[in-house]
Amino acid sequence: MSLGKFRPEGPFETRLFINNEFVPAVSAKTFPTFNPATEKLIAEVAEGDAADVDIAVAVAKAAFDDGNGEWPRSTGPTRRDIMNKVAQLIEDNLEYLSSLESLDSGKPFSNAAYSAQVDLALVIKCYRYYAGWADKLMGKMIPIDAPDIFAYTRHEPIGVCGQIIPWNFPLLMMAWKIAPALACGNVVVLKTSEKTPLSALALCKLFKEAGVPPGVVNVLSGFGPTAGAAIAKHMDVDKVAFTGSTPVGKMIMSMAAESNLKKTSLELGGKSPLIVMPDADLDQAVQAAHIGLFLNQGQCCIASSRLYVHEDVYDEFVAKATEAARNWTTGDPMDPNTLNGAQVDKIQFDKILRYIAAGRTEGATLKCGGQRSGDKGYFIEPTIFADVKDDMKIAREEIFGPVMSILKFRTSDEVIRRANASPFGLGAGVISRDIGTALSMAHRLRAGTVYVNTYDVFDAAMPFGGFKQSGNGRELGEYGLHEYTEVKVVVVPLDAKL
């Protein structure tokens, strides 16, 4: 199936996807989605709310049928083949989906660093990775202390999985959640972000074409307080997965507990430290820091937004980093020379500029950037602050924008203490030529992912998640499957009549 030739003016699918059909919202309400690079309206999108969630959950529950529905009862090879077909259809429509992702989110379409096409490559790999697991899910025989008893475990699908994804990586976050859920035989009701709803709806056409049965994948566009909360509180949703801010994650956990004690997995905020040791290759360090911070215009939960540099190399690093940031081109997301696209919307744009103002007010030294780029679109110049202190707002709070804060340290013990002195623990990094030093520090850092001499490496086989208030559970890898299965023990006397 081809989604056709991409045209920036559309038309685009804007309805809700329920039971393998596109339908308007029950309320008939819509909301606008804008191109952040031009500030112009792209389309009016159906606004799902609690009434639509009820319908979607009902069809999903019927499709699951207490584990007796077509999808949960299907064989692993059947699910594998359908998921591989989804991946192939995405690959066949990569140009269209990458273009739509860029249009709706403001990220670069294609360049030599990071772009929507990089996202789509990871999306395809994620579906293929979990397709490979679909026919390899198995329990264990348990050698219990009773010679005449046969005991074994089964890994069974949980049921109706509510999933709420963010706006920064729409199709990738969708893949991280839907792929393991489908591989395990679950059914899904997913809510996209109201800021970037379009690419997920386009992808729904490909789910249907691939042969995913009705009711198994349902996708709603809408807002958190209405559609998102309805999913989290719904009595017929068995599990909820969420990626977003820590305050909202706490609300979802509370709703899940107060309703039917549904299972949760939460990937939340971060303020990740990247430590540059005195023996570091500074060119390598600058490259890691720039990918770690400026990827996706800084709109990345694991962004290396606290950069600790040893005092012996601090000034040299700041000079090199500032020069590199000035060459990090901001502009039209469809221009292949663009490395820094638009922030997702005016809310995010204004928030980042307030953080930049706070950095100046609190005494950090602005080395470059710090202002809007151009007079149209939500573009902000790559920004670097030096002389940042731990108690400054830009060093404590998640900015979610292209703002690099560079702090100075003297000893390893000191920087580990400072790096860990955060309520977050999503990611961290160490740059050092001494592998012993690097690994020792990696083991002492309290974070779910620690990069050594690199940053922002992602792979479908590698688990992702955080310590502390950066969430619970893991996505990706074999660990990601655990979030979508129940473990059942079956016990049978060997002399029992069957």
Side-chain angles (χ1 to χ4, degrees), residues 439-461:
L439 291 179
S440 173
M441 297 186 75
H443 293 176
R444 295 173 67 191
L445 287 163
R446 297 284 293 164
T449 300
V450 180
Y451 295 105
V452 174
N453 293 334
T454 188
Y455 211 88
D456 276 344
V457 175
F458 301 102
D459 190 274

Short mmCIF file of all heavy atoms in Angstrom, two decimals, residues 439-461:
data_model
loop_
_atom_site.label_atom_id
_atom_site.label_comp_id
_atom_site.label_asym_id
_atom_site.label_seq_id
_atom_site.Cartn_x
_atom_site.Cartn_y
_atom_site.Cartn_z
N LEU A 439 34.43 3.49 33.28
CA LEU A 439 33.53 2.45 33.76
C LEU A 439 33.25 2.58 35.25
O LEU A 439 32.13 2.33 35.70
CB LEU A 439 34.10 1.07 33.44
CG LEU A 439 34.12 0.71 31.95
CD1 LEU A 439 34.73 -0.68 31.76
CD2 LEU A 439 32.72 0.76 31.34
N SER A 440 34.25 2.96 36.02
CA SER A 440 34.04 3.16 37.45
C SER A 440 33.00 4.25 37.68
O SER A 440 32.09 4.09 38.50
CB SER A 440 35.36 3.55 38.13
OG SER A 440 35.14 3.91 39.48
N MET A 441 33.10 5.34 36.93
CA MET A 441 32.14 6.43 37.08
C MET A 441 30.77 6.01 36.57
O MET A 441 29.74 6.37 37.16
CB MET A 441 32.64 7.67 36.36
CG MET A 441 33.94 8.22 36.94
SD MET A 441 34.44 9.78 36.22
CE MET A 441 33.29 10.90 36.98
N ALA A 442 30.74 5.26 35.47
CA ALA A 442 29.46 4.79 34.93
C ALA A 442 28.70 3.96 35.96
O ALA A 442 27.47 4.05 36.09
CB ALA A 442 29.68 3.98 33.66
N HIS A 443 29.44 3.16 36.73
CA HIS A 443 28.80 2.31 37.73
C HIS A 443 28.32 3.11 38.93
O HIS A 443 27.41 2.67 39.65
CB HIS A 443 29.77 1.23 38.20
CG HIS A 443 30.11 0.25 37.11
ND1 HIS A 443 31.02 -0.77 37.28
CD2 HIS A 443 29.67 0.11 35.83
CE1 HIS A 443 31.12 -1.48 36.17
NE2 HIS A 443 30.31 -0.95 35.28
N ARG A 444 28.90 4.27 39.17
CA ARG A 444 28.52 5.09 40.32
C ARG A 444 27.39 6.07 40.00
O ARG A 444 26.76 6.61 40.92
CB ARG A 444 29.73 5.86 40.83
CG ARG A 444 30.84 4.96 41.39
CD ARG A 444 32.09 5.77 41.71
NE ARG A 444 31.88 6.68 42.83
CZ ARG A 444 32.73 7.65 43.17
NH1 ARG A 444 33.85 7.82 42.48
NH2 ARG A 444 32.47 8.44 44.19
N LEU A 445 27.14 6.32 38.73
CA LEU A 445 26.09 7.26 38.35
C LEU A 445 24.72 6.60 38.46
O LEU A 445 24.53 5.48 37.99
CB LEU A 445 26.33 7.77 36.92
CG LEU A 445 27.49 8.74 36.76
CD1 LEU A 445 27.90 8.87 35.31
CD2 LEU A 445 27.12 10.12 37.34
N ARG A 446 23.77 7.30 39.05
CA ARG A 446 22.43 6.76 39.27
C ARG A 446 21.54 7.14 38.09
O ARG A 446 20.82 8.13 38.11
CB ARG A 446 21.86 7.31 40.58
CG ARG A 446 22.64 6.91 41.82
CD ARG A 446 22.37 5.48 42.21
NE ARG A 446 20.97 5.31 42.65
CZ ARG A 446 20.36 4.14 42.75
NH1 ARG A 446 21.00 3.03 42.42
NH2 ARG A 446 19.11 4.08 43.16
N ALA A 447 21.60 6.31 37.04
CA ALA A 447 20.83 6.59 35.83
C ALA A 447 20.55 5.29 35.09
O ALA A 447 21.32 4.33 35.18
CB ALA A 447 21.59 7.56 34.92
N GLY A 448 19.47 5.28 34.33
CA GLY A 448 19.08 4.09 33.61
C GLY A 448 19.96 3.76 32.43
O GLY A 448 20.10 2.60 32.05
N THR A 449 20.54 4.78 31.81
CA THR A 449 21.47 4.60 30.69
C THR A 449 22.68 5.49 30.93
O THR A 449 22.52 6.69 31.21
CB THR A 449 20.83 4.99 29.34
OG1 THR A 449 19.68 4.17 29.10
CG2 THR A 449 21.81 4.83 28.19
N VAL A 450 23.87 4.94 30.82
CA VAL A 450 25.10 5.72 30.94
C VAL A 450 25.92 5.50 29.67
O VAL A 450 26.27 4.37 29.33
CB VAL A 450 25.93 5.33 32.18
CG1 VAL A 450 27.20 6.19 32.25
CG2 VAL A 450 25.10 5.50 33.45
N TYR A 451 26.21 6.58 28.98
CA TYR A 451 27.02 6.54 27.76
C TYR A 451 28.48 6.83 28.09
O TYR A 451 28.77 7.71 28.91
CB TYR A 451 26.54 7.59 26.76
CG TYR A 451 25.14 7.34 26.24
CD1 TYR A 451 24.06 8.12 26.67
CD2 TYR A 451 24.89 6.35 25.30
CE1 TYR A 451 22.78 7.91 26.19
CE2 TYR A 451 23.61 6.13 24.80
CZ TYR A 451 22.56 6.91 25.25
OH TYR A 451 21.30 6.70 24.77
N VAL A 452 29.39 6.10 27.46
CA VAL A 452 30.82 6.33 27.63
C VAL A 452 31.40 6.72 26.27
O VAL A 452 31.33 5.95 25.31
CB VAL A 452 31.54 5.07 28.17
CG1 VAL A 452 33.06 5.29 28.19
CG2 VAL A 452 31.03 4.73 29.57
N ASN A 453 31.95 7.92 26.19
CA ASN A 453 32.58 8.46 24.98
C ASN A 453 31.62 8.53 23.79
O ASN A 453 32.04 8.44 22.63
CB ASN A 453 33.84 7.66 24.61
CG ASN A 453 34.94 7.83 25.64
OD1 ASN A 453 34.99 8.84 26.35
ND2 ASN A 453 35.80 6.84 25.77
N THR A 454 30.35 8.69 24.08
CA THR A 454 29.33 8.87 23.06
C THR A 454 28.08 9.38 23.75
O THR A 454 28.07 9.61 24.96
CB THR A 454 29.05 7.55 22.31
OG1 THR A 454 28.20 7.80 21.19
CG2 THR A 454 28.40 6.52 23.23
N TYR A 455 27.00 9.59 22.98
CA TYR A 455 25.72 9.95 23.60
C TYR A 455 24.61 9.74 22.58
O TYR A 455 24.83 9.77 21.37
CB TYR A 455 25.70 11.42 24.08
CG TYR A 455 24.82 11.61 25.28
CD1 TYR A 455 25.30 11.44 26.57
CD2 TYR A 455 23.45 11.91 25.12
CE1 TYR A 455 24.48 11.57 27.68
CE2 TYR A 455 22.62 12.04 26.22
CZ TYR A 455 23.13 11.87 27.51
OH TYR A 455 22.31 11.99 28.60
N ASP A 456 23.42 9.51 23.09
CA ASP A 456 22.21 9.33 22.27
C ASP A 456 22.33 8.19 21.26
O ASP A 456 21.94 8.34 20.09
CB ASP A 456 21.84 10.64 21.56
CG ASP A 456 21.01 11.55 22.46
OD1 ASP A 456 20.47 11.06 23.47
OD2 ASP A 456 20.91 12.76 22.15
N VAL A 457 22.87 7.08 21.70
CA VAL A 457 22.84 5.86 20.88
C VAL A 457 21.60 5.07 21.31
O VAL A 457 21.42 4.78 22.50
CB VAL A 457 24.10 5.00 21.10
CG1 VAL A 457 23.98 3.68 20.34
CG2 VAL A 457 25.34 5.77 20.65
N PHE A 458 20.73 4.74 20.35
CA PHE A 458 19.51 4.01 20.66
C PHE A 458 19.44 2.76 19.79
O PHE A 458 19.85 2.76 18.63
CB PHE A 458 18.27 4.87 20.40
CG PHE A 458 18.24 6.14 21.20
CD1 PHE A 458 18.57 7.35 20.63
CD2 PHE A 458 17.89 6.11 22.54
CE1 PHE A 458 18.55 8.53 21.37
CE2 PHE A 458 17.87 7.27 23.29
CZ PHE A 458 18.20 8.49 22.71
N ASP A 459 18.89 1.70 20.35
CA ASP A 459 18.70 0.47 19.59
C ASP A 459 17.52 -0.28 20.19
O ASP A 459 17.32 -0.28 21.42
CB ASP A 459 19.96 -0.41 19.65
CG ASP A 459 19.90 -1.57 18.68
OD1 ASP A 459 19.34 -2.63 19.05
OD2 ASP A 459 20.39 -1.42 17.56
N ALA A 460 16.74 -0.93 19.34
CA ALA A 460 15.55 -1.63 19.80
C ALA A 460 15.88 -2.74 20.79
O ALA A 460 15.03 -3.13 21.60
CB ALA A 460 14.79 -2.20 18.62
N ALA A 461 17.10 -3.26 20.75
CA ALA A 461 17.48 -4.36 21.64
C ALA A 461 17.96 -3.88 23.00
O ALA A 461 18.16 -4.69 23.91
CB ALA A 461 18.59 -5.19 20.98
#
